[in-house]
Amino acid sequence: MDRIRIRGGKPLSGRVPISGAKNAALPLMAAGLLADGPLVLTNAPDLADIATMTLLLRHHGLQVEHDKAARTLSISGSATELEAPYDIVRRMRASVLVLGPLLARHGRARVSLPGGCAIGTRPVDLHIKGLEQLGAEIEITSGYIEARAPGGKLRGARIIFPQVSVGATENLLMAACLAEGETELVNAAREPEISDLAMCLMRMGARIEGIGTDRLRVEGGATLLAATHPIVPDRIEAGTYACAAAITGGQLHLEGARLEHLGSVARVLRDAGVDVAETHTGLTVTRRNGLRGADVMTEPFPGFATDMQAQYMALMTVAEGASMITETIFENRFMHVPELMRMGARINFHGSSAIVRGVPRLSGAPVMATDLRASVSLVLAGLAAEGETIVNRVYHLDRGYESVEAKLASVGAEIERLPG
Ligand SMILES: CC(=O)N[C@H]1[C@@H](OP(=O)(O)OP(=O)(O)OC[C@H]2O[C@@H](n3ccc(=O)[nH]c3=O)[C@H](O)[C@@H]2O)O[C@H](CO)[C@@H](O)[C@@H]1O
Ligand SMILES: C=C(OP(=O)(O)O)C(=O)O
């Protein structure tokens, strides 16, 4: 298994191109099931999760071409196989996003339950209840969601989500485009990836109002057609490189990153003493002086993203003073804490809150993590640490960070991949 070796202590400086967002690309690819296409997605990142979604869509009978040099994904054809098997779904939870489109278009779907993962139990009850409100009949048997639309069609409805869910909003939004009549999604997630999906669906011919708000109205029954759509830049990748500039005391220009997509991450970084400036090509992030501890609580967008919590914690390990970090989205998203502590961090945690007391310096160590953002938080810690850090289980990073070691090396990090 590949590992990453870092020799820390070098301030990073230069330009980092921000890739298309994994969490936008995955639902956008699933939207390819709604039309014969082709749906052409530009600014497509080269990531393990994109390869998994490609495999799943091909399994359903679609043609998917990923031109990595041109950074485009072309998706065409109509599903001939309506089952999403456990073998693929277990690799990536976002596979469940094929449920709404398959059911809405073909009147039936059988999708493996995704199960939990390292960060929490992650049920899909909101996806299922929402589809039932659109008229679907759903049973769970042998670990599969068996869904049927009576008469082959879903019917529009008013769905009030009891809790904000990114994935459930996406599944329901896609299904509603082909349902008969009007659907209203109330307390919908407002993440930029949802707006990106809605914009793409509009380009395909869907009628959606309220984009960017927590109330989406969809006039269903449209026939969706071919479209070309650019995938929004990855705000979590941008936030991660912002932390890389900050933790090393350097300056990075994040090409393509957008301030409005960082939500409160930019405000918190400024509170911690980091300059975040918007330019016409992206964001410039600079740390001139010392870092200060600043508290955060994760929340749905535009609040502080849970997908930035581990990276921010790495930053706070070397800030002056203490910071309290509270995770409200996932029940088990502190798996990076013991590994950061092995590098000399001072962290106490109880339940959903961690108190981080900054230390002057971390020290390099062999570490490993069990999920994507925890893994990258260890890379950040390694960039700031004295000596050598080896990050094991690099495959987690490959799920969501395109060419992470090449991008970091190009701005001055001493980092290399050690083939396993
Ligand atoms: C591929 C993708 O875009 N993944 C993102 C997406 O995940 P994902 O779409 O899985 O996250 P959700 O927004 O659905 O989850 C938010 C919370 O709601 C709970 N929940 C969700 C659905 C449901 O049916 N029942 C339920 O209880 C979850 O367990 C979690 O506690 O949003 C998360 C929250 O911003 C991010 O961390 C993930 O990176
Ligand atoms: C948790 C994440 O992804 P997923 O929902 O695909 O597990 C993430 O991107 O940090």
Side-chain angles (χ1 to χ4, degrees):
M1 240 177 269
D2 289 3
R3 293 165 300 151
I4 280 189
R5 178 164 60 202
I6 302 164
R7 289 198 184 83
K10 302 195 173 46
L12 303 186
S13 161
R15 306 174 83 80
V16 179
I18 299 303
S19 299
K22 160 180 95 73
N23 288 350
L26 297 173
L28 287 166
M29 290 176 77
L33 289 160
L34 294 166
D36 286 352
L39 173 61
V40 179
L41 301 171
T42 60
N43 195 30
D46 183 11
L47 298 169
D49 275 10
I50 301 298
T52 305
M53 189 55 102
T54 298
L55 184 72
L56 181 58
L57 294 182
R58 285 186 182 148
H59 167 87
H60 287 304
L62 270 61
Q63 290 86 52
V64 184
E65 299 307 325
H66 190 175
D67 182 339
K68 293 180 183 176
R71 310 186 72 76
T72 55
L73 274 162
S74 305
I75 302 164
S76 56
S78 174
T80 49
E81 163 63 59
L82 302 181
E83 176 173 316
Y86 175 68
D87 225 33
I88 302 179
V89 176
R90 71 183 167 80
R91 297 185 209 179
M92 185 184 71
R93 289 183 45 84
S95 306
V96 79
L97 295 173
V98 301
L99 176 63
L102 284 175
L103 181 60
R105 179 117 194 257
H106 302 280
R108 271 184 314 118
R110 186 169 191 268
V111 176
S112 172
L113 277 167
C117 72
I119 62 176
T121 48
R122 305 185 74 179
V124 287
D125 55 312
L126 300 173
H127 303 233
I128 292 172
K129 280 185 198 134
L131 290 169
E132 283 174 340
Q133 285 175 272
L134 295 185
E137 290 172 357
I138 301 186
E139 275 179 46
I140 309 292
T141 36
S142 313
Y144 276 77
I145 306 165
E146 311 246 12
R148 211 175 61 81
K153 277 277 166 212
L154 295 174
R155 291 184 312 272
R158 184 162 195 262
I159 295 166
I160 304 173
F161 292 110
Q163 174 185 346
V164 178
S165 162
V166 171
T169 303
E170 291 165 346
N171 237 333
L172 271 291
L173 178 63
M174 289 188 278
C177 291
L178 299 192
E180 276 166 358
E182 194 182 300
T183 295
E184 193 178 5
L185 302 178
V186 182
N187 197 24
R190 285 185 283 162
E191 271 64 6
E193 295 76 27
I194 307 264
S195 301
D196 202 40
L197 174 64
M199 297 300 292
C200 175
L201 292 167
M202 298 267 287
R203 288 179 205 261
M204 294 167 79
R207 291 162 297 212
I208 303 171
E209 285 175 18
I211 296 175
T213 76
D214 63 357
R215 214 171 258 257
L216 294 167
R217 283 174 306 284
V218 184
E219 186 53 53
T223 301
L224 300 193
L225 302 166
T228 297
H229 177 80
I231 299 171
V232 70
D234 194 322
R235 67 193 165 99
I236 306 299
E237 190 195 26
T240 303
Y241 283 101
C243 288
I247 203 167
T248 62
Q251 180 176 71
L252 291 178
H253 182 68
L254 312 177
E255 283 170 354
R258 297 186 197 157
L259 189 59
E260 80 266 24
H261 289 173
L262 282 190
S264 57
V265 169
R267 181 183 52 73
V268 170
L269 286 175
R270 285 171 178 152
D271 287 350
V274 182
D275 283 357
V276 182
E278 194 165 32
T279 73
H280 61 282
T281 56
L283 293 175
T284 300
V285 180
T286 316
R287 194 193 102 203
R288 290 179 224 284
N289 303 310
L291 288 165
R292 295 185 292 273
D295 297 348
V296 301
M297 182 184 280
T298 62
E299 286 173 331
F301 191 82
F304 192 95
T306 173
D307 291 351
M308 279 301 302
Q309 181 258 108
Q311 302 90 311
Y312 182 71
M313 190 181 293
L315 186 62
M316 288 296 98
T317 63
V318 291
E320 197 167 302
S323 50
M324 181 154 95
I325 299 179
T326 304
E327 172 61 55
T328 71
I329 308 291
F330 293 108
E331 70 272 21
N332 191 27
R333 214 173 191 184
F334 282 147
M335 301 296 278
H336 41 286
V337 170
E339 298 300 296
L340 289 171
M341 289 172 72
R342 294 185 62 251
M343 298 178 71
R346 287 180 63 207
I347 307 171
N348 285 318
F349 75 104
H350 183 71
S352 60
S353 290
I355 304 275
V356 185
R357 293 188 174 81
V359 295
R361 206 113 179 94
L362 298 173
S363 65
V367 285
M368 67 178 180
T370 45
D371 75 272
L372 169 60
R373 310 301 170 186
S375 296
V376 87
S377 79
L378 300 175
V379 171
L380 293 174
L383 291 172
E386 227 155 51
E388 183 177 284
T389 295
I390 304 277
V391 181
N392 292 285
R393 298 195 183 169
V394 167
Y395 58 86
H396 289 299
L397 286 172
D398 293 335
R399 279 191 51 215
Y401 288 92
E402 190 174 34
S403 314
V404 62
E405 69 276 17
K407 287 189 185 183
L408 286 169
S410 76
V411 289
E414 204 177 324
I415 181 169
E416 62 182 329
R417 185 177 287 242
L418 307 173

